[in-house]
């Protein structure tokens, strides 16, 4: 009964989600406390109290048929205006409500913009390591994913390899900063260089190339690192944003697309994106959550909780001999695996530690540790990490290096 | 910048949605009270008080990170179990939670199941008049929509024409009962005959044909008319359900898919549908609304409000000389246009009456009147309808017939 096209997807079901399901089973068997699940980016820090307060207030104050009703496919106008104004305040941009389209999370927004622009055979570039779902999203619209190999020294984009892969068929480039899984943040200089390459290629190839900035982790940066806003760097830029992490609402599926006036054909792109939202069956972003955004647009989760986790986990793993760069953003550590990354994840599972292999991000040899968990889970898991390090002789090696 | 594939969609943007946008503009110009907008199926009857109470209780009682967090792509297990048990109680079915997949409304569910089963060139049959978006949904997955022409005497499916159009490429059939826009309900006898045709064709063609029952209007039936549950009639049946109408939550995007064990390859179809939910970017149905369903699965909007509207509008329009069948379900009247339906809608607009042409449902010569509006709007609009009837000489003709 299922489509031939779906078969590979069913056979290679997301390793991350598979791990999530396995974690649930192990929790049932060993008790939740005794399973150290670092596999999923499911925020442990609760939504800011203002969010739940807003829900209570909206239900009491606003008209029920309005709160739960249809609106334009692009979203409630006040929600779109609130987002535009907040961005303008924070980043000195000049967006109007027309530039904002409320979406079913960033993944919904990504599908909407890819549906809007992709014809069969169009190429979309991504930088490894990257969130594997991008491949499925691109293939949904018969696009072709082109992977720029990773620079595993810095996990910054390898711009020479990038430039080589731009062809007349290149329709879009996806960037993700702060990055899942590597935790790096692209600097203004990096963005300037990406923009320069794209502009030059647009000029010489006579094409339009859309830069899609996937920003679910925008607000999650540490040590005062600045996450530059991408649209001022390059005219053809669209932003996919999500409140999944910034407001800890991943299950609610609320986010937005920014389509600036500077984008080629912007009016048509905006109109087409609203239609794509409709025909993909989303119809609109969930209405109550849009009402919440009107009231909570400048709220943020408690970042300090993630930062504490980051510091504890990073310093402990380094102490045990693990090799990884210190993440500046998001809530992941991307750690070098002492053996094949899939094999290593299997070995960790014996210690009831659940990680995701780097292969799932087109970057074998590494594993992702999601530290959006309780501080106590990290504390409880540290002895297991230490044992694993000892098992692979990492602690010893580290001693020798020093 | 936009895809060639999107161009026709942008050019022929949904007449219904265009009317919705126009209605908003006219309301701003003439005042909301003076525009009689019957164009959109946006419920006017508020959600049952239990829904808002449930939201308040959930926010107060349940853990925030759980309420707003990720769950399995198929949905919270207790929500799926609640749906399965409710269906079993009401219809004597034997569903388990595994048979239920929570979706971003029925439109989201329809996209999920079409993504799950369609390969390029697969044919999907629909009965005119039908909800035009079906065409876009099918084309999203490179399927081919095949339209069975309407029987405008009864607006019941024309089964002879149906049978003729089933080919070896037929992968699915979409039915929608109670029907948008005609308001008819398919009887058990009709469903038996559809099932018999499908079984015979599966046998002779050696294929599997999925019957997709789109049921956003299931609970909206009047005069005690029974809406038979479809799955017991035919093994390969999937149900797309939405709470948009039954709980008046259209903006919230909450519904579910039923994939019974009897469906060929049901385990694979269920697994693939969960994956389709993820890769289409929905990821999961909005989490808070899933929690609401756990508590409100057997709640229902006040049907009597719609029934009052139906009675008033139907009897008045008949009195003025309009020709239409009395709807048994949903909240639409499908009225014969005295001239070309698009022309007629334009003429009605001069009276500030907004309707949708039947052409938008592949059934020219008719117009759809959505009566999910306030009783007062109908009362205020009646003089306009009467004038329109007089303008076209309907009242006079009617007098002569009598």
């Amino acid at each position: 009964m299922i489509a031939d096209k779906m078969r590979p997807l069913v056979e290679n079901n997301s390793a991350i989600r598979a791990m999530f399901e396995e974690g649930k089973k192990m929790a049932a068997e060993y008790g939740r406390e005794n399973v150290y699940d670092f596999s999923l980016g499911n925020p442990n820090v609760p939504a800011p109290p203002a969010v739940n307060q807003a829900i209570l207030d909206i239900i009491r104050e606003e008209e029920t048929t309005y709160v739960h009703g249809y609106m334009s496919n692009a979203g409630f106008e006040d929600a779109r205006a609130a987002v535009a104004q907040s961005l303008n305040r924070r980043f000195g941009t000049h967006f109007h409500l027309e530039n904002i389209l409320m979406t079913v999370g960033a993944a919904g927004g990504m599908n909407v913009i890819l549906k809007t622009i992709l014809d069969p055979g169009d190429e979309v570039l991504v930088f490894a390591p990257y969130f594997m779902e991008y491949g499925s999203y691109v293939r949904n619209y018969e696009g072709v994913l082109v992977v720029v190999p990773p620079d595993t020294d810095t996990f910054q984009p390898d711009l020479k390899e990038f430039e080589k892969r731009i062809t007349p068929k290149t329709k879009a480039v996806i960037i993700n900063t702060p990055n899942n899984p590597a935790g790096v943040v692209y600097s203004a200089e990096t963005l300037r260089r990406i923009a320069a390459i794209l502009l030059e290629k647009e000029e010489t190839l006579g094409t339009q190339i859309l830069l899609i900035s996937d920003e679910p982790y925008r607000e999650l940066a540490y040590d005062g690192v600045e996450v530059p806003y991408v649209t001022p760097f390059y005219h053809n830029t669209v932003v996919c944003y999500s409140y999944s992490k910034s407001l800890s609402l991943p299950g609610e599926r609320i986010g937005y697309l920014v389509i600036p006036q500077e984008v080629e054909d912007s009016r048509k792109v905006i109109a087409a994106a609203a239609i794509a939202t409709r025909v993909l069956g989303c119809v609109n972003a969930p209405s109550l959550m849009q009402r919440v955004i009107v009231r909570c647009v400048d709220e943020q989760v408690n970042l300090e909780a993630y930062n504490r986790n980051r510091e504890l986990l990073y310093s402990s793993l380094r102490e045990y001999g693990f090799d990884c760069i210190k993440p500046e953003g998001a809530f992941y550590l991307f750690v070098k695996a002492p053996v094949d990354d899939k094999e290593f994840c299997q070995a960790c599972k014996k210690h009831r530690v659940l990680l995701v292999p780097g292969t799932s991000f087109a970057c074998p040899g590494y594993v992702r540790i999601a530290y959006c968990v309780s501080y106590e889970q990290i504390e409880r898991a540290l002895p297991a990490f230490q044992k694993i390090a000892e098992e692979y002789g990492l602690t010893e090696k580290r001693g020798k290096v020093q």
Side-chain angles (χ1 to χ4, degrees), chain A:
Chain A
M1 181 61 85
I2 71 169
D4 290 339
K5 274 188 151 187
M6 281 300 287
R7 281 181 205 286
L9 279 171
V10 176
E11 280 150 23
N12 310 310
N13 196 0
S14 163
I16 301 177
R17 280 288 172 165
M19 199 67 90
F20 177 65
E21 300 294 340
E22 190 151 357
K24 283 206 302 186
K25 272 183 215 157
M26 286 174 70
E29 192 175 341
Y30 300 108
R32 225 177 159 183
E33 301 269 301
N34 304 312
V35 179
Y36 315 121
D37 189 346
F38 296 94
S39 66
L40 195 72
N42 197 6
N44 160 269
V45 175
V51 166
N52 282 346
Q53 191 57 53
I55 294 173
L56 298 177
D57 293 344
I58 290 162
I59 294 299
R60 289 195 204 101
E61 295 165 13
E62 301 188 25
E63 199 206 329
T64 293
T65 55
Y66 182 71
V67 169
H68 302 305
Y70 282 133
M71 77 301 300
S72 299
N73 299 121
F76 285 118
E77 290 190 355
D78 56 352
R80 296 161 70 197
V83 169
Q85 287 154 15
S86 168
L87 293 174
N88 294 345
R89 270 195 306 275
R90 294 179 60 199
F91 304 114
T93 47
H94 304 281
F95 302 129
H96 298 275
L97 69 90
E98 288 78 16
N99 302 113
I100 310 297
L101 190 143
M102 305 304 293
T103 60
V104 174
M110 181 78 76
N111 272 273
V112 163
I113 194 66
L114 292 173
K115 167 98 185 157
T116 299
I117 62 161
L118 289 187
D119 276 311
D122 284 348
E123 295 173 356
V124 179
L125 269 67
V126 292
F127 295 94
Y130 67 91
F131 181 48
M132 256 332 207
E133 301 286 68
Y134 294 156
S136 297
Y137 302 162
V138 167
R139 284 185 290 273
N140 282 341
Y141 313 102
E142 295 167 87
V144 177
L145 195 80
V146 177
V147 180
V148 181
D151 169 354
T152 52
D153 288 335
T154 64
F155 288 104
Q156 291 284 338
D158 187 330
L159 297 184
K160 275 191 188 157
E161 294 294 330
F162 170 52
E163 194 168 357
K164 276 194 238 167
R165 281 168 179 77
I166 299 174
T167 76
K169 303 217 90 183
T170 303
K171 190 66 186 270
V173 178
I174 301 174
I175 59 173
N176 172 224
T177 163
N179 183 260
N180 171 15
V184 299
V185 174
Y186 291 9
S187 66
E189 180 51 25
T190 300
L191 294 174
R192 256 192 294 276
R193 289 173 60 205
I194 290 176
I197 291 168
L198 288 174
L199 281 171
E200 195 264 324
K201 288 288 183 184
E202 282 194 335
E203 179 79 26
T204 54
L205 297 171
T207 56
Q208 300 286 334
I209 305 173
L210 191 66
L211 182 63
I212 301 173
S213 185
D214 182 31
E215 306 192 354
Y217 302 100
R218 158 156 294 281
E219 323 307 343
L220 277 59
Y222 312 104
D223 300 333
V225 166
E226 194 211 349
V227 183
Y229 207 71
V230 182
T231 60
F233 288 86
Y234 177 64
H235 68 132
N236 278 331
T237 301
V238 159
V239 176
C240 299
Y241 187 86
S242 169
Y243 292 99
S244 293
K245 278 75 184 182
S246 62
L247 293 181
S248 279
L249 300 172
E252 303 295 0
R253 314 310 303 135
I254 182 74
Y256 60 80
L257 271 175
V258 185
I259 305 173
Q261 305 295 358
E262 290 75 13
V263 168
E264 180 78 14
D265 278 340
S266 67
R267 272 173 187 278
K268 270 197 190 164
V269 176
I270 291 165
I275 294 169
T277 300
R278 203 186 75 220
V279 301
L280 285 173
C282 295
V283 183
N284 53 250
S287 52
L288 173 59
M289 287 301 140
Q290 289 193 48
R291 309 296 323 136
V292 168
I293 296 310
V294 173
R295 296 176 185 233
C296 297
V297 71
D298 290 320
E299 291 291 333
Q300 226 178 69
V301 291
N302 173 11
L303 276 190
E304 191 39 40
Y306 291 131
N307 193 34
R308 271 179 82 205
N309 288 358
R310 179 182 75 122
E311 295 290 0
L312 174 64
L313 195 58
Y314 175 76
S315 62
S316 303
L317 293 190
R318 291 288 292 187
E319 191 191 314
Y320 305 153
F322 285 100
D323 181 8
C324 88
I325 60 161
K326 189 168 186 181
E328 296 183 308
F331 42 45
Y332 305 108
L333 285 184
F334 204 53
V335 178
K336 201 160 169 46
V339 291
D340 171 84
D341 55 320
K342 286 184 174 177
E343 186 190 322
F344 184 64
C345 286
Q346 287 301 326
C348 290
K349 221 188 285 177
K350 287 185 193 137
H351 296 271
R352 297 198 295 272
V353 171
L354 301 185
L355 310 177
V356 180
T359 304
S360 295
F361 304 92
C363 192
Y366 291 80
V367 294
R368 188 188 79 171
I369 307 180
Y371 58 79
C372 48
V373 297
S374 72
Y375 193 79
E376 293 67 34
Q377 177 179 322
I378 297 175
E379 287 181 319
R380 282 197 308 273
L382 286 181
F385 279 113
Q386 189 161 18
K387 264 190 219 157
I388 293 165
E390 282 163 9
E391 217 171 285
Y392 287 96
L394 300 180
T395 320
E396 206 173 283
K397 273 186 213 155
R398 189 180 172 274
K400 281 185 196 154
V401 171
Q402 289 184 328

